[in-house]
Amino acid sequence: MATHLIVVEHSAGKLVKATLAAVAAAQKVGGDIYAVVLGQGVAGVAAEIAPYVKKVQVGEHEGLKDRLAQPWAKVIADAATGAGITHVWGAATGAGKDLLPRVAARLNAGMASDISAVVDDRTFKRPMWAGNITGTVEITTAKKVVSVRPTEFTPPAPGAAGEIGSIDVDPGVSKMSWVKFDAVVSDRPALSDARVVVSGGRGLKGPEGFKTIIEPLADALGAAIGASRAVCDAGWVPNDWQVGQTGKVVAPELYIAVGISGAIQHVAGMKGSKCIVAINKEPEAPIFQIADYGLVADLFKVVPELTAAIKASRG
Amino acid sequence: MKFLVTVKRVTDYEAKIKLKADKSGIVTDGVNMIMNPFDEIGVEEALRQKEKHGGEVVVVTLGTTDAVAQLRSALAMGADRAILVRSDAALDSFAVAQVLAKVVEKEKPDVVLMGKQAIDDDSNQASQILAELLGWGQATFANTINIDGRTATVVREADGGLETVSTTLPAVISTDLRLNEPRYASLPGIMKAKKKPLEEVDIATLGVDLAPKVKLIGFEEPAAKKAGQKVADVATLLEKLKTEAKVL
């Protein structure tokens, strides 16, 4: 019988929703599900996750105030050592990717990264080669660590709130310290959980293209903005906007790719979108092979038309 | 200051990856092999740090003798010497990290630089596992690295912005895309690389338990997306999004 420990991710005192994808994946294996919430002043986060699990273990400590991989990995591994825990789960977010392999190392456990499906309690599917191949991996160790691709698992419905208790924690000796966080400030929805994403690529010719073409369309739709790796590398837009194998994986209801050719590494980050629109003047662009609707046209002409039409229809 | 940089031989990011007919793996015949692009960024960063602080840049790979080509590329960029840990078997991230820990024990670097992920298996595990096995600090997904005395301050690509952490040295740092733009090897660099020391170590001599904790047991191609349609103009597109796809 499996017993699961969910590593709860939180930011600014709120549960990061991607954590619920990890709960959904653990539910597919079956068995009791516990959650561990670390930090300082995290009672609110514990209350948010409680309706999804049997029991929440809260570890509050000065040394866990900032999410640093070394002390957090120790405390999570300690929590997973007792109580018959068989699986440790977390979301494959930037934070999860930083932390979870270190937990696996401490537990001497095998880890499956960024899984897209659960086959059974030890077998998982995961995208490889930028999503061109789906690999099946089997973890052979008694304890198993799994990070879950948030876009591939539907968050479960909340149930009766689980019990909330505190655990004794010892962060141990850490060589790391936290300095600061510079948030990308935006009034737009977060890229990872937006309903609509408008993305731009090299076809926009420069950062002004994002200002004059992409931003108005995104604002008309209430959409998040994404970008191809090429334009992030070129410094036109923040790297945080990057969609793809090496950036964020998104699966919105509507994804509009503007002036994006559709390189393998970009497609890996958005092909799970429910509806994909591609606007590109190059009819042979690979993006059209995965687009539900393709418009071969000069983006500088048609995107403002589209923006105006959407604004008009929404009054 | 001594830098150890890991280099993995991977399929070219521009190659079309296909499954073998018997689905036992991917087709590698005729596929160009390159140095993992994130590792190339690691080599570049080590060279730049060496230019500032002095020291040595050692590159290491695990694999067959084919991977010598990627080590020579790193030497041509300017690395001082190379180590091939020869292994014919495919290894999981944990085994790789254990082997690297042995190399670290012998080489005693101040900084281990690794790509944040290899673009073939996309696991993104080895650097974090290595840091834990060594009991060192880690800084993953580095955007900027400043080394001052025995401290590295690293700006990291994090969810929603840039996070700055510091760690005492020695430490493991993994590279992200914007850390730098790797140089091209010069012709004199390529000539010199042929004469630089390249040490071969048989993996069996390292005393590491290589039994996989994670086995890759199957491959499939993801379901193809059904072909879409081209639309003539903005009006048609809007109409289809409203009535057919029902997303507006």
Side-chain angles (χ1 to χ4, degrees):
Chain A
M1 182 70 167
T3 306
H4 309 280
L5 185 66
I6 309 290
V7 177
V8 177
E9 190 179 330
H10 52 90
S11 173
K14 296 262 182 235
L15 174 71
V16 170
K17 295 284 186 291
T19 302
L20 298 179
V23 176
Q27 285 178 347
K28 287 186 189 287
V29 173
D32 287 342
I33 302 179
Y34 299 85
V36 60
V37 181
L38 304 182
Q40 243 189 347
V42 291
V45 178
E48 271 189 276
I49 193 71
Y52 300 92
V53 299
K54 187 172 184 194
K55 186 173 180 185
V56 186
Q57 302 175 324
V58 182
E60 303 231 14
H61 195 287
E62 167 76 28
L64 300 173
K65 179 164 56 77
D66 307 306
R67 195 200 55 77
L68 287 166
Q70 194 171 19
W72 277 51
K74 177 184 181 295
V75 171
I76 292 163
D78 288 348
T81 300
I85 301 289
T86 53
H87 293 67
V88 178
W89 303 80
T93 53
K97 289 173 180 176
D98 180 48
L99 174 64
L100 293 163
R102 202 157 176 145
V103 174
R106 222 176 151 88
L107 291 169
N108 205 26
M111 171 171 172
S113 293
D114 205 17
I115 65 155
S116 54
V118 173
V119 179
D120 59 35
D121 67 346
R122 68 198 55 205
T123 317
F124 308 93
K125 293 193 179 191
R126 55 179 302 269
M128 303 173 72
W129 281 278
N132 285 292
I133 301 291
T134 303
T136 303
V137 296
E138 182 192 337
I139 303 179
T140 61
T141 50
K143 281 195 201 294
K144 298 164 181 68
V145 178
V146 187
S147 71
V148 173
R149 179 171 283 207
T151 53
E152 299 287 341
F153 293 86
T154 308
E163 177 195 341
I164 298 176
S166 65
I167 52 169
D168 288 332
V169 291
D170 171 15
V173 180
S174 172
K175 310 282 171 67
M176 303 172 63
S177 49
W178 189 85
V179 180
K180 63 171 179 167
F181 181 67
D182 298 308
V184 174
V185 181
S186 173
D187 296 334
R188 299 195 179 86
L191 186 52
S192 301
D193 47 34
R195 200 187 70 82
V196 181
V197 172
V198 179
S199 266
R202 257 191 297 226
L204 288 153
K205 300 201 165 107
E208 314 74 46
F210 271 84
K211 286 239 171 326
T212 59
I213 302 291
I214 297 293
E215 290 187 18
L217 177 58
D219 290 342
L221 288 164
I225 299 182
S228 69
R229 173 177 157 180
V231 305
C232 294
D233 280 2
W236 297 0
V237 298
N239 196 53
D240 189 52
W241 291 9
Q242 189 193 137
V243 172
Q245 179 191 17
T246 58
K248 290 200 167 59
V249 176
V250 300
E253 280 183 45
L254 173 60
Y255 188 93
I256 305 181
V258 179
I260 288 179
S261 65
I264 294 166
Q265 93 88 25
H266 181 76
V267 169
M270 46 66 82
K271 67 180 172 188
S273 305
K274 185 160 162 257
C275 176
I276 297 171
V277 173
I279 300 174
N280 200 306
K281 67 171 191 278
E282 182 50 64
E284 300 304 318
I287 191 79
F288 288 122
Q289 291 166 17
I290 58 142
D292 297 285
Y293 302 105
L295 180 54
V296 180
D298 176 7
L299 68 91
F300 291 98
K301 179 174 169 288
V302 298
V303 176
E305 274 178 43
L306 180 61
T307 305
I310 287 165
K311 276 188 180 160
S313 73
R314 295 191 170 184
Chain B
M1 185 94 18
K2 186 168 177 178
F3 299 90
L4 181 70
V5 189
T6 58
V7 166
K8 186 178 182 187
R9 176 182 169 89
V10 298
T11 48
D12 192 331
Y13 56 88
E14 290 188 287
K16 177 83 189 114
I17 301 297
K18 292 204 175 90
L19 267 192
K20 288 182 185 164
D22 66 359
K23 298 193 171 186
S24 63
I26 63 150
V27 176
T28 49
D29 285 352
V31 173
N32 188 42
M33 301 298 283
I34 59 168
M35 187 193 313
N36 179 38
F38 290 102
D39 297 343
E40 209 170 357
I41 293 171
V43 173
E44 176 65 33
E45 188 64 21
L47 295 172
R48 290 186 192 189
Q49 295 289 345
K50 182 190 157 182
E51 283 157 18
K52 260 188 247 174
H53 303 283
E56 186 184 24
V57 175
V58 181
V59 291
V60 60
T61 195
L62 282 68
T64 64
T65 46
D66 288 343
V68 166
Q70 280 64 44
L71 289 176
R72 291 285 176 208
S73 300
L75 294 171
M77 286 172 73
D80 298 298
R81 60 187 174 89
I83 302 167
L84 166 68
V85 180
R86 211 179 48 251
S87 163
D88 294 328
L91 301 171
D92 67 1
S93 302
F94 212 110
V96 168
Q98 285 177 299
V99 169
L100 291 172
K102 290 286 181 189
V103 175
V104 165
E105 215 171 85
K106 177 159 178 281
E107 293 287 335
K108 301 187 171 53
D110 300 285
V111 178
V112 178
L113 275 161
M114 301 176 69
K116 75 165 177 180
Q117 72 197 68
I119 61 163
D120 50 4
D121 64 29
D122 286 331
S123 283
N124 194 339
Q125 295 185 11
S127 64
Q128 299 90 322
I129 295 173
L130 177 63
E132 180 59 36
L133 294 178
L134 295 168
W136 292 4
Q138 75 183 43
T140 52
F141 324 147
N143 166 290
T144 312
I145 301 171
N146 277 304
I147 297 173
D148 184 9
R150 297 304 296 168
T151 304
T153 302
V154 179
V155 181
R156 307 178 54 244
E157 304 280 0
D159 301 314
L162 292 172
E163 182 184 57
T164 307
V165 298
S166 71
T167 173
T168 55
L169 299 184
V172 179
I173 301 176
S174 83
T175 64
D176 214 319
L177 283 172
R178 290 193 304 170
L179 181 57
N180 59 50
E181 206 162 304
R183 69 193 67 188
Y184 289 101
S186 65
L187 189 58
I190 294 168
M191 299 310 289
K192 266 194 232 164
K194 292 178 180 164
K195 292 185 191 138
K196 287 181 177 172
L198 193 152
E199 179 192 354
E200 250 187 68
V201 178
D202 182 348
I203 197 165
T205 63
L206 294 175
V208 172
D209 175 12
L210 299 171
K213 293 179 163 54
V214 180
K215 282 190 201 162
L216 196 44
I217 57 170
F219 299 88
E220 61 198 287
E221 274 167 5
K225 207 168 153 55
K226 66 168 175 44
Q229 48 183 303
K230 293 265 168 69
V231 293
D233 49 35
V234 166
T236 317
L237 174 61
L238 262 182
E239 187 56 29
K240 298 241 180 214
L241 290 177
K242 281 180 185 160
T243 58
E244 205 173 84
K246 298 187 171 68
V247 289
L248 281 186

